[in-house]
Amino acid sequence: MNVSSASAESLRAALAGLLDGLPPSQTTKAVDRLIAHYRGTTPTDAPVLRDRSDVAAYAAYRMPATFEAARGALEALWAAAPEWTPGTHTDVGGGTGAASWAVADVWEGGPRSTVLDWAEPALALGRELADGVLDAAWRRERIGTALRLDETDLVTVSYVLKELTEGDRTALVAEAARAARGAVVVVEPGTPDGYERIIAARSVLIDAGLTVAAPCPHSGACPIEPGTDWCHFSARVSRSSLHRKVKGGSLPYEDEKYAYVAATRFPVRPAPGRVVRRPQIRKGLVLLDLCAPEGLGRETVTKRHGPLYKRARDAEWGDSWPPAGQD
Ligand SMILES: C[S@@+](CC[C@H](N)C(=O)[O-])C[C@H]1O[C@@H](n2cnc3c(N)ncnc32)[C@H](O)[C@@H]1O
């Protein structure tokens, strides 16, 4: 995964000055509250991001990671439909705009984004961070069964479903499917319950007539037996010194685990198969756990496979397999 794209760099630069002027104790308190909230029970009746220090903490603490996760999902959509470019984009529950930055990264320059959220301080900070970089409008909107979206080419719903009641989740995904002329991308944390919300969203999208573009190689039933495993991926997030200060620890990166589904109204070429675990490289062979149209399976690629062996050694969790030209 590319961690140093132009958007990632400018987002990092925009985030760097964010905590200037905020007392460190206030930031730490806001981060602690966020962590407690995200570990605790959701949904809530009112925005969790209540003020500037909450949103500054969210942006510093979570935005680089949700940006990379959204980018991973959007890149997989792009790979399944490289000729398609969205002209308009709606980022529902967009908060400080991580998914809009990711959209602008995948489709260089980006479509016109509209970011919808009920937390005014998040919208205000998102607007500030994106000033002069993204073509985006920021609008206060409450997600619920009454939400009506304007028609748009692409809808993203990134790290939002967890914050909603089950009824609101289903209604939101159905509304996203109705409003999207092109594609809907839903991203959640890469946890067992995040995967379950993605599988439920995937069903709603298919029932609405969309085709799964990624990560699945088909729009049929997921081969994972409920409760036994969960489909998720990993995005490497490089950490700035500011990020290290806020989150603690000393590693220059962290791995954000995420689950996602991308579905389209137009025909796509999904991956022939997808690497669904980190490949295991042994002496002279690579073990690839794959999800393919025929189900889950393991492929062993050895030196005897010639050029394919080199490709297998370079393969990453989440990649399409076999690589183009080898299927
Ligand atoms: C975890 S944040 C994700 C923000 C952003 N999409 C990202 O990927 O970084 C969840 C966002 O959903 C918004 N949200 C939660 N429930 C909402 C509701 N009922 N109506 C509008 N926005 C909501 C929150 O205010 C917050 O900005």
Side-chain angles (χ1 to χ4, degrees), residues 301-313 321 323 326:
V301 188
T302 70
K303 280 188 173 163
R304 276 185 295 132
H305 289 93
L308 193 63
Y309 173 65
K310 159 101 183 63
R311 303 294 292 270
R313 285 186 67 90
W321 188 267
Q326 311 265 344

Side-chain angles (χ1 to χ4, degrees), residues 38 49 58 66 93-95 98 117-119 141-143 158-159 163:
Y38 284 114
L49 303 174
Y58 178 82
T66 58
D117 205 285
W118 66 353
E141 194 82 61
R142 183 186 186 108
I143 301 164
S158 166
Y159 287 80
E163 308 213 352

Side-chain angles (χ1 to χ4, degrees), residues 14-312:
L15 290 174
L18 203 57
L19 301 185
D20 291 354
L22 282 175
S25 61
Q26 195 178 338
T27 311
T28 316
K29 233 188 271 161
V31 168
D32 287 347
R33 205 167 69 81
L34 277 180
I35 294 172
H37 167 74
Y38 284 114
R39 283 204 189 119
T41 347
T42 46
T44 57
D45 293 334
V48 177
L49 303 174
R50 292 179 308 204
D51 56 27
R52 169 87 189 185
S53 65
D54 281 350
V55 287
Y58 178 82
Y61 177 69
R62 288 298 296 151
M63 206 178 160
T66 58
F67 164 79
E68 290 297 350
R71 187 154 67 116
L74 292 162
E75 273 178 350
L77 166 62
W78 174 84
E83 60 295 328
W84 180 71
T85 301
T88 51
H89 161 228
T90 303
D91 188 0
V92 190
T96 50
S100 295
W101 282 81
V103 166
D105 191 62
V106 172
W107 291 278
E108 242 172 82
R112 167 108 180 127
S113 289
T114 303
V115 184
L116 306 178
D117 205 285
W118 66 353
E120 186 58 48
L123 295 168
L125 183 69
R127 189 183 291 118
E128 215 178 283
L129 291 170
D131 188 36
V133 188
L134 301 187
D135 179 9
W138 306 79
R139 218 172 63 213
R140 191 164 189 177
E141 194 82 61
R142 183 186 186 108
I143 301 164
T145 48
L147 177 71
R148 289 293 165 270
L149 300 172
D150 292 338
E151 279 199 12
T152 183
D153 292 339
L154 169 66
V155 180
T156 54
V157 183
S158 166
Y159 287 80
V160 179
L161 296 186
K162 183 178 182 198
E163 308 213 352
L164 307 176
T165 61
E166 200 174 331
D168 283 353
R169 270 178 218 150
T170 309
L172 170 57
V173 178
E175 178 58 13
R178 189 203 58 77
R181 284 185 292 255
V184 177
V185 176
V186 185
V187 188
E188 281 289 292
T191 53
D193 60 308
Y195 160 73
E196 278 170 23
R197 288 187 293 273
I198 289 294
I199 282 298
R202 184 181 184 273
S203 296
V204 173
L205 295 171
I206 293 169
D207 288 349
L210 276 70
T211 303
V212 177
C216 326
H218 57 76
S219 295
C222 175
I224 296 176
E225 229 171 273
T228 61
D229 200 356
W230 69 101
C231 177
H232 65 294
F233 301 93
S234 180
R236 186 141 289 189
V237 185
S238 53
R239 308 169 89 195
S240 63
S241 57
L242 156 89
H243 199 213
R244 282 203 289 277
K245 213 181 333 167
V246 174
K247 288 189 91 169
S250 57
L251 275 180
Y253 64 84
E254 62 185 5
D255 289 327
E256 172 72 11
K257 303 293 193 316
Y258 64 100
Y260 74 97
V261 61
T264 60
R265 282 237 164 262
F266 50 81
V268 273
R269 286 186 304 281
R274 194 166 300 276
V275 180
V276 289
R277 287 256 180 284
R278 206 178 289 291
Q280 297 178 48
I281 301 183
R282 307 265 167 80
K283 200 163 184 270
L285 60 86
V286 182
L287 300 173
L288 296 174
D289 287 314
L290 299 173
C291 184
E294 25 330 313
L296 295 165
R298 174 169 281 187
E299 192 169 310
T300 305
V301 188
T302 70
K303 280 188 173 163
R304 276 185 295 132
H305 289 93
L308 193 63
Y309 173 65
K310 159 101 183 63
R311 303 294 292 270

